[in-house]
Amino acid sequence: ALPAVIEGATITFLDLDLDLAVTPAFESELLDEDEFTDRRHGRAYPAELVEQAWAGIALAREALLARAFPFDGTPAVLLARVLGSAPAV
């Protein structure tokens, strides 16, 4: 996705459709490449945007292989803290 834009109480962003799905066993699969390709042409994404999207996927794969953030367990710890401190409903 492109960076979010915050205007007042509204947050908007453009999802570029490319997703790297990661299992708990750290196996990954690239999803929605066809949708990205279709929208890339249909919405006339600039070449720089397409390059940045693929660079983002490459960066995520590198982080996954290195078990670097967000694949280092930090999100799970933070989520447990938040959920653990949430008031009972």
Side-chain angles (χ1 to χ4, degrees):
L2 294 178
V5 175
I6 302 171
E7 294 178 357
T10 302
I11 301 172
T12 58
F13 70 97
L14 175 62
D15 181 357
L16 297 176
D17 298 307
L18 286 176
D19 295 302
L20 188 65
V22 179
T23 70
F26 296 103
E27 297 170 351
S28 67
E29 179 183 2
L30 182 64
L31 304 176
D32 303 328
E33 187 174 357
D34 292 342
E35 286 87 349
F36 174 74
T37 300
D38 291 345
R39 290 195 175 115
R40 168 188 173 188
H41 297 294
R43 295 181 181 169
Y45 292 163
E48 182 180 5
L49 177 64
V50 173
E51 291 170 14
Q52 290 172 347
W54 286 115
I57 292 294
L59 182 64
R61 285 179 166 151
E62 289 172 17
L64 176 63
L65 289 174
R67 301 299 189 264
F69 183 83
F71 306 106
D72 63 353
T74 301
V77 171
L78 294 174
L79 183 59
R81 282 187 196 162
V82 170
L83 294 178
S85 64
V89 179

